[in-house]
């Protein structure tokens, strides 16, 4: 008996193996490749779908799309990791034809083709419908909270701004009192100097000015929140307690037949209460049906939304709040 041995790395082959032999017939990357090749990238609006006459040759958008979808399916979100996979992962190498886009090219593709990628999602839904993968009778709708790149301290509501400005006023008054006390304290007592206190007061006044500007902006725009790092995100309550998170509310509708996603939308709605009819109508249109049944949790219960669904030929099933 002997150990199982591999192939000698230095062995020369008269007929070298093809890259295609490493990819099984039922490997999902073959579907990614076939689907991407079936798309009319020009009609979808992809940049460089029409080759420019001058300049440096770009990567074909289908190559970049395949790599992007591959990363999505395998939970590889980082552009640097995707670049690494294109060098070492035989599936990614097969998919791109041994092309290796760098970590700057990959995010540039996403940034330049945001709307086109959304259209690809819709095209995939239509593709699934043509293959009869959707039942088109029952859809479940739910939302998930995704954290944004925005610290809680850089998200403001009207109440939070008023509280912050009130705190600043108290601190300014306290520093002014300290300035008055400096005139009567003993020389050996350790207290902030007048210059130090004036600097602190000036910084607080500048912060107060910033807060007033934010408050004015909220009044002019009618927004209930302002986020400084990621302007579109909002502070949202999390399930199971009083905790909140600054982020997005991602809505998803899933067909009952094969549990495939019919539609998704990233929103900054703080709750799900006003989103039922919107998501249900979108799902109904994408499925191309006249009537549709929809399941949702208690958070979607709103008489106005239920009525809008019924008027659109959609029957919602939602538990009524106690």
């Amino acid at each position: 008996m002997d150990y199982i041995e591999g192939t000698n790395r230095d062995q020369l082959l008269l007929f070298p193996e093809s890259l295609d032999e490493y990819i099984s017939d039922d490997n999902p990357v073959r579907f990614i490749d076939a689907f991407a090749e079936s798309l009319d990238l020009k009609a979808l609006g992809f940049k460089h779908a029409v080759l420019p006459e001058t300049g440096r040759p770009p990567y074909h958008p289908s190559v970049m799309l395949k790599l992007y979808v591959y990363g999505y399916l395998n939970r590889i979100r980082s552009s640097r990791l995707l670049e690494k996979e294109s060098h070492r992962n035989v599936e990614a190498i097969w998919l791109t034809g041994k092309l290796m886009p760098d970590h700057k090219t990959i995010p540039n593709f996403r940034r330049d083709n945001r709307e086109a990628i959304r259209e690809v999602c819709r095209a995939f839904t239509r593709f699934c419908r043509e293959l009869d993968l959707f039942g088109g009778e029952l859809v479940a709708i739910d939302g998930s909270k995704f954290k944004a790149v925005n610290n809680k301290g850089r998200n403001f509501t009207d109440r939070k701004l008023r509280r912050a400005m009130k705190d600043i006023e108290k601190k300014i008054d306290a520093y002014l009192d300290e300035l008055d006390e400096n005139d009567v304290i003993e020389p050996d007592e350790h207290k902030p100097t007048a210059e130090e206190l004036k600097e602190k007061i000036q910084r607080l006044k500048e912060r107060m000015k910033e807060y007033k500007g934010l408050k004015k902006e909220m009044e002019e725009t009618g927004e209930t929140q302002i986020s400084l790092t990621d302007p579109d995100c909002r502070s949202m309550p999390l399930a199971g307690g009083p905790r909140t998170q600054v982020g997005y509310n991602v809505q998803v509708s899933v067909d009952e037949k094969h549990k495939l996603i019919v539609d998704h939308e990233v929103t900054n709605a703080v709750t799900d209460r006003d989103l039922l009819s919107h998501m249900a109508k979108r799902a109904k249109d994408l499925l191309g049906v006249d009537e549709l049944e929809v399941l949702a949790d208690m958070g979607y219960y709103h008489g106005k939304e239920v009525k809008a669904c019924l008027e659109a030929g959609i029957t919602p099933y939602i538990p009524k709040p106690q």
Side-chain angles (χ1 to χ4, degrees):
M1 182 180 291
D2 205 349
Y3 292 110
I4 299 174
E5 294 185 2
T7 303
N8 188 333
R9 298 188 186 97
D10 299 321
Q11 176 67 48
L12 297 177
L13 300 175
L14 182 61
F15 298 104
E17 297 170 322
S18 70
L19 183 60
D20 192 67
E21 292 178 11
Y22 290 100
I23 306 299
S24 62
D25 291 340
D26 59 352
N27 193 308
V29 296
R30 291 192 180 275
F31 173 78
I32 296 174
D33 182 69
F35 175 67
E37 291 295 333
S38 71
L39 296 172
D40 185 345
L41 300 183
K42 180 181 177 181
L44 292 174
F46 276 92
K47 187 177 181 181
H48 299 314
V50 178
L51 193 64
E53 295 181 359
T54 59
R56 182 181 178 182
Y59 287 103
H60 196 287
S62 68
V63 172
M64 300 303 300
L65 179 62
K66 292 172 189 177
L67 187 61
Y68 175 78
V69 174
Y70 180 80
Y72 174 81
L73 289 178
N74 290 278
R75 300 183 180 182
I76 305 172
R77 299 172 59 186
S78 165
S79 298
R80 291 183 182 275
L81 289 179
L82 266 180
E83 177 189 9
K84 188 178 290 186
E85 292 300 302
S86 70
H87 285 74
R88 68 181 184 182
N89 187 316
V90 68
E91 291 180 341
I93 292 171
W94 179 89
L95 204 54
T96 61
K98 293 187 177 181
L99 294 175
M100 302 171 185
D102 63 30
H103 62 274
K104 293 182 179 179
T105 304
I106 294 169
N108 286 344
F109 169 77
R110 284 196 294 250
R111 184 194 63 212
D112 295 339
N113 297 284
R114 287 181 180 272
E115 187 55 41
I117 290 173
R118 291 192 184 97
E119 289 299 324
V120 169
C121 294
R122 298 185 184 103
F124 180 73
T125 300
R126 292 191 294 269
F127 178 75
C128 290
R129 192 174 69 188
E130 291 171 2
L131 295 179
D132 197 28
L133 295 176
F134 290 134
E137 297 177 355
L138 179 64
V139 165
I141 296 175
D142 201 3
S144 298
K145 305 294 174 59
F146 284 73
K147 187 177 181 181
V149 186
N150 195 104
N151 190 281
K152 283 186 178 181
R154 293 181 62 79
N155 170 268
F156 297 94
T157 62
D158 182 67
R159 180 181 177 183
K160 192 173 179 180
L161 281 172
R162 283 189 279 109
R163 186 170 62 242
M165 288 190 288
K166 189 175 181 180
D167 289 341
I168 287 176
E169 288 174 354
K170 288 181 179 179
K171 288 181 180 179
I172 290 176
D173 289 340
Y175 288 147
L176 290 173
D177 290 340
E178 284 192 56
L179 281 173
D180 293 337
E181 290 175 7
N182 279 350
D183 296 331
V184 295
I185 61 173
E186 296 296 327
D188 58 343
E189 284 190 50
H190 179 69
K191 287 280 187 177
T193 65
E195 287 301 320
E196 290 174 340
L197 290 172
K198 288 177 181 178
E199 287 179 8
K200 290 181 178 180
I201 291 172
Q202 183 59 35
R203 286 198 295 269
L204 288 172
K205 286 182 176 179
E206 290 174 358
R207 195 183 305 170
M208 175 71 84
K209 183 179 179 181
E210 179 186 356
Y211 289 162
K212 286 181 177 179
L214 292 175
K215 195 171 187 303
K216 183 180 179 181
E217 183 180 341
M218 288 176 64
E219 291 171 352
E220 291 176 349
T221 60
E223 293 286 347
T224 58
Q225 295 186 35
I226 283 185
S227 297
L228 302 183
T229 305
D230 189 347
D232 293 327
C233 65
R234 296 291 180 266
S235 178
M236 303 176 180
L238 296 176
R243 296 179 303 127
T244 61
Q245 175 179 281
V246 180
Y248 292 93
N249 185 352
V250 180
Q251 296 290 306
V252 177
S253 54
V254 178
D255 184 79
E256 183 271 339
K257 185 176 181 180
H258 290 294
K259 313 302 183 288
L260 291 173
I261 293 175
V262 176
D263 186 29
H264 71 278
E265 185 173 14
V266 180
T267 78
N268 59 8
V270 176
T271 67
D272 300 328
R273 191 168 179 262
D274 298 318
L275 298 174
L276 178 66
S277 63
H278 173 69
M279 291 302 298
K281 289 176 183 177
R282 283 169 57 108
K284 180 172 174 284
D285 292 341
L286 285 168
L287 292 171
V289 295
D290 296 325
E291 296 181 350
L292 185 67
E293 294 182 337
V294 171
L295 295 177
D297 61 38
M298 191 185 302
Y300 288 87
Y301 190 87
H302 187 192
K304 180 182 176 182
E305 292 294 303
V306 172
K307 181 182 178 183
C309 285
L310 293 172
E311 290 174 348
I314 300 167
T315 305
Y317 296 96
I318 315 166
K320 190 174 182 179
Q322 299 297 323

